[in-house]
């Protein structure tokens, strides 16, 4: 420090000012960062949960906060670029106007769309049913695709291409979600890779660095002791099972493999039963409810029929995981693999159920047996605005999922808590409180988020509903954790939890790409509603927009989309990938050499 102070005397005034400014700027940025940390959503609540229940459960609530922020940003994106221009141009705000392109080469019967709005005297419970199902007065609002019928909006002197903006906003929220999830999962992946590399290192971490110093509650401390004991027991059990597997005779191997084949056949049968039930429920619901609405028949049975697919999906999501948890015990896997396989099956059944629902809807939408229907390209009689119908199904799934989460807490967890607290019967005390299972709760919100990603294209304001839903769920789960449930006896570590949550979320996002891609590129767009009425498919707006550019730019863009560009680009990408694979292999060999040298240092200090 004395030497630096002496050097300052010989530094020019400009450099002294620059150095002082740099120090002041760093200090200001540090203070701003410290102040901004107080603005983080649920900062105090999450720190309190972390202190009482450890970092494993805290990671679930942090994950929930991440989804609230993600959905809020998606809502801002869709609202700013799709909803606001439509509202501004329709009501003439800021000297704006709109234009609709006349439909060409389209049969008149394809353009008929009469939303099932409420007519005459309407009872209060009718509004409530419409609010829960997305029909009636909600069908004609900006919540659903059918509202956005503008082709071009003129805001002052600026021309706004709404169909292109709608499509680009869809791509933007999917890309934003993908990049954000990848960015957050990189740190967890690195840490998991290090832990999985060396079992002895994992053992040392548990013994010397396994304690969670955020815990302040004595009960949570005892739970952490049991958790560390369980982890060590699990490691020993896995080693014992590995030894047992190595010592198996050929007869024992045939027996266990035969049993696993039989159990997997049962699993496939359960999945097939779930998928078929959802398919039949969806077809039955759509055929009967659409016919009833067209004839203006509105009864309680019709309302229940509209919710039939959501009810069947919820039952499948509840029953199938229970069967999988029972069957996995007979397959004789290691505890860690047992948990991963069960979770994988549960993730698959939840997300595949959404896929089956959409497939059922598309089979109904695409079914045409008359020339008039084939002229439209889709079943215009049952689905004059099929995008809004799909949006309503996603809306109902999201609302029903929230109702189930709320009902389980109010009508199962609270009564069970009261029984355990005030009843001393042995069966009641033996059952005890329900555990707060992190993986089950994560699957719930990932399922809801996948519905949101798929449904946002068909219902642009669905992310706003998802934001409010997850905001309320945070407080429901917080109250449930503190008052009606107990932490799981087998908690996740925070590092593995965060990575696992994001991997499951990424699977949901990738699966959401498939139905959206089919809807955008393959299924003909509705000719009676929506911004893509003038195009055969949603994707057709892109080449139509490019044809409006200058000739040189058109050639460049079409050249990028051609095979002459795609093949060399793919080859370059492959070469870059092979380079990074070779680089990773070289780094791995260097790490192994360094480890060998560390062993030699430990065994021979003179070395």
């Amino acid at each position: 420090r004395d030497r630096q102070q002496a050097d300052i005397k010989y530094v020019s005034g400009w450099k002294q000012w620059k150095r002082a400014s740099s120090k002041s700027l760093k200090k200001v940025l540090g203070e701003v960062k410290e102040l901004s940390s107080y603005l983080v959503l649920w900062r105090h609540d999450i720190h309190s949960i972390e202190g009482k229940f450890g970092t494993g459960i805290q990671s679930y609530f942090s994950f929930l906060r991440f989804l609230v922020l993600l959905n809020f940003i998606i809502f801002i994106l869709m609202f700013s670029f799709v909803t606001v221009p439509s509202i501004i141009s329709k009501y003439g705000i800021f000297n704006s106007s709109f234009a609709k392109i006349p439909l060409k080469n389209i049969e008149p019967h394809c353009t008929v769309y009469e939303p099932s709005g409420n007519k005459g005297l309407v009872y209060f419970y009718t509004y409530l049913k419409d609010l829960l199902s997305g029909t009636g007065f909600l069908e004609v609002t900006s919540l659903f695709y059918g509202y956005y019928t503008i082709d071009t909006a003129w805001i002052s002197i600026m021309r706004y291409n709404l169909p292109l903006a709608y499509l680009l906003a869809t791509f933007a929220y999917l890309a934003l979600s993908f990049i954000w999830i990848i960015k957050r999962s990189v740190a967890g992946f690195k840490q998991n890779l290090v832990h999985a590399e060396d079992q002895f290192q994992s053992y040392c971490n548990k013994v010397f660095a396994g304690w969670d110093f955020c815990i302040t509650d004595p009960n949570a401390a005892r739970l952490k002791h049991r958790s560390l004991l369980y982890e060590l027991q699990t490691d020993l059990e896995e080693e014992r099972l590995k030894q047992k597997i190595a010592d198996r005779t050929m007869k024992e191997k045939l027996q266990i493999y035969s049993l696993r084949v039989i159990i997997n056949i049962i699993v496939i049968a359960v999945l097939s039963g779930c998928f078929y039930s959802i398919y039949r429920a969806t077809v039955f619901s759509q055929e009967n409810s659409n016919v009833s609405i067209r004839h203006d028949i509105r009864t309680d049975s019709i309302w229940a029929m509209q919710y039939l697919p959501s009810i069947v999906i919820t039952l499948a999501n509840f029953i199938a995981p229970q069967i999988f948890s029972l069957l996995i015990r007979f397959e004789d896997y290691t505890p860690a693999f047992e948990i991963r396989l069960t979770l994988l099956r549960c993730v698959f059944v939840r997300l595949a159920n959404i896929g089956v629902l959409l497939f059922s809807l598309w089979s109904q939408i695409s079914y045409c047996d008359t020339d008039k229907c084939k002229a439209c390209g889709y079943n215009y009689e049952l689905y004059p605005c099929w995008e809004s119908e799909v949006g309503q199904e996603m809306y109902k799934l999201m609302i029903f999922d929230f109702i189930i989460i709320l009902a389980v807490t109010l009508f199962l967890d609270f009564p069970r808590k009261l029984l355990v607290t005030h009843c001393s019967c042995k069966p009641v005390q033996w059952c005890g409180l329900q555990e707060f299972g992190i993986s089950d709760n994560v699957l719930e919100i990932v399922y809801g988020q996948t519905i949101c990603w798929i449904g946002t294209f068909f219902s642009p304001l669905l992310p706003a509903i998802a934001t409010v839903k997850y905001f309320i769920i945070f407080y429901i789960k917080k109250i449930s954790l503190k008052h009606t449930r107990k932490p799981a006896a087998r908690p996740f570590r925070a590092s593995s939890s965060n990575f696992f949550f994001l991997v499951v979320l990424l699977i949901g996002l990738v699966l959401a790409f498939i139905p959206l891609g089919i809807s955008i590129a393959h299924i003909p767009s509705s000719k009676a509603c929506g911004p893509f009425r003038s195009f055969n498919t949603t994707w057709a707006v892109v080449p139509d927009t490019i044809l409006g550019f200058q000739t040189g730019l058109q050639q460049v863009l079409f050249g990028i989309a051609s095979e002459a560009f795609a093949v060399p680009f793919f080859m370059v990408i492959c070469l870059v990938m092979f380079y990074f694979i070779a680089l990773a292999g070289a780094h791995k060999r260097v790490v192994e050499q360094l480890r060998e040298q560390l062993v030699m240092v430990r065994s021979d200090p003179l070395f």
Side-chain angles (χ1 to χ4, degrees), residues 143-386:
L143 179 61
F144 292 110
Y145 174 94
Y147 173 84
Y148 303 91
T149 55
I150 295 171
D151 295 298
T152 304
W154 292 92
I155 302 171
S156 187
I157 59 171
M158 184 181 72
R159 180 179 179 274
Y160 192 80
N161 189 339
L162 185 68
L164 183 64
Y166 199 108
L167 185 61
L168 292 180
T170 301
F171 291 155
Y173 83 74
L174 291 173
L176 171 70
S177 303
F178 184 77
I179 293 168
W180 201 349
I181 293 170
I182 290 292
K183 184 176 180 297
R184 286 178 65 95
S185 62
V186 165
F189 175 71
K190 288 177 181 177
Q191 200 163 356
N192 272 23
L193 204 61
V194 171
H195 285 311
E197 189 71 26
D198 187 2
Q199 291 298 324
F200 183 72
Q201 184 189 34
S202 175
Y203 170 76
C204 291
N205 283 340
K206 289 183 181 69
V207 174
F208 297 111
W211 187 251
D212 189 346
F213 286 93
C214 294
I215 295 175
T216 57
D217 186 64
N219 292 326
R222 284 194 292 271
L223 181 70
K224 186 64 179 177
H225 276 289
R226 289 198 297 270
S227 171
L228 287 171
L229 177 64
Y230 165 74
E231 288 184 13
L232 291 170
Q233 287 175 338
T234 303
D235 290 344
L236 292 171
E237 180 67 14
E238 287 186 358
E239 291 299 323
R240 188 188 66 79
L241 283 174
K242 286 177 184 177
Q243 186 64 38
K244 179 183 174 183
I245 291 168
D247 296 339
R248 276 178 186 160
T249 62
M250 184 58 68
K251 182 181 177 181
E252 290 174 338
K253 287 180 180 178
L254 287 173
Q255 286 177 346
I256 193 64
Y257 290 147
S258 302
L259 182 61
R260 287 175 183 175
V261 168
I262 293 169
I263 288 174
N264 278 289
I265 291 171
I266 295 172
V267 169
I268 293 170
V270 171
L271 291 173
S272 302
C274 293
F275 298 159
Y276 182 74
S277 301
I278 294 166
Y279 175 77
R280 293 306 309 166
T282 305
V283 172
F284 180 78
S285 169
Q286 292 296 310
E287 287 177 350
N288 289 276
S289 61
N290 276 320
V291 169
S292 301
I293 288 172
R294 297 290 172 260
H295 292 85
D296 203 23
I297 302 172
R298 291 176 174 269
T299 62
D300 293 336
S301 61
I302 297 302
W303 182 74
M305 201 176 297
Q306 289 176 340
Y307 256 94
L308 184 62
S310 302
I311 294 169
V312 173
I313 287 175
T314 303
L315 287 173
N317 290 343
F318 177 76
I319 295 170
Q322 303 297 327
I323 297 173
F324 297 156
S325 298
L326 181 66
L327 292 174
I328 196 73
R329 299 175 186 175
F330 301 100
E331 294 186 81
D332 200 20
Y333 290 117
T334 60
F337 186 77
E338 187 178 305
I339 292 171
R340 284 196 292 267
L341 182 60
T342 305
L343 290 174
L344 186 64
R345 287 171 176 170
C346 293
V347 169
F348 179 77
V349 74
R350 279 183 176 271
L351 300 184
N353 284 344
I354 302 173
V356 173
L357 171 67
L358 292 171
F359 172 77
S360 308
L361 287 171
W362 287 331
S363 64
Q364 292 289 299
I365 292 166
S366 304
Y367 178 72
C368 283
D369 56 354
T370 62
D371 292 335
K372 292 178 70 176
C373 176
K374 291 176 181 177
C376 300
Y378 58 94
N379 192 341
Y380 74 96
E381 293 179 337
L382 288 180
Y383 303 96
C385 184
W386 66 264

Side-chain angles (χ1 to χ4, degrees), residues 13-26:
W14 165 251
K15 287 185 177 181
Q16 287 184 16
W17 179 85
K18 192 175 178 182
R19 186 178 295 177
S21 300
S22 177
K23 286 183 179 180
S24 301
L25 182 62
K26 284 181 181 179

Side-chain angles (χ1 to χ4, degrees), residues 481-595:
L481 174 65
K482 290 187 174 181
H483 300 290
T484 66
R485 293 202 176 196
K486 62 181 180 181
R490 300 181 177 186
F492 287 82
R493 288 184 68 89
S495 58
S496 58
S497 299
N498 288 323
F499 180 64
F500 165 72
F501 300 163
L502 292 166
V503 166
V504 174
L505 191 63
L506 191 61
I507 292 171
L509 178 60
V510 171
L511 290 178
F513 288 160
I514 299 171
L516 286 175
I518 294 172
S519 301
I520 291 171
H522 179 67
I523 302 179
S525 55
S526 297
K527 304 301 181 290
C529 70
F532 304 101
R533 295 172 301 115
S534 307
F535 305 99
N536 187 35
T537 61
T538 302
W539 178 254
V541 69
V542 175
D544 183 76
T545 304
I546 292 174
L547 289 174
F549 294 159
Q550 295 180 356
T551 307
L553 185 57
Q554 284 184 35
Q555 292 175 349
V556 171
L557 293 174
F558 283 125
I560 291 173
S562 66
E563 295 178 358
F565 177 82
V567 173
F569 179 75
F570 178 73
M571 292 176 66
V572 170
I573 290 293
C574 288
L575 289 173
V576 172
M577 184 179 67
F578 288 139
Y579 166 75
F580 279 109
I581 290 172
L583 191 64
H587 287 165
K588 189 174 182 180
R589 285 194 296 273
V590 171
V591 168
E592 289 173 356
Q593 290 174 2
L594 290 171
R595 279 182 178 164

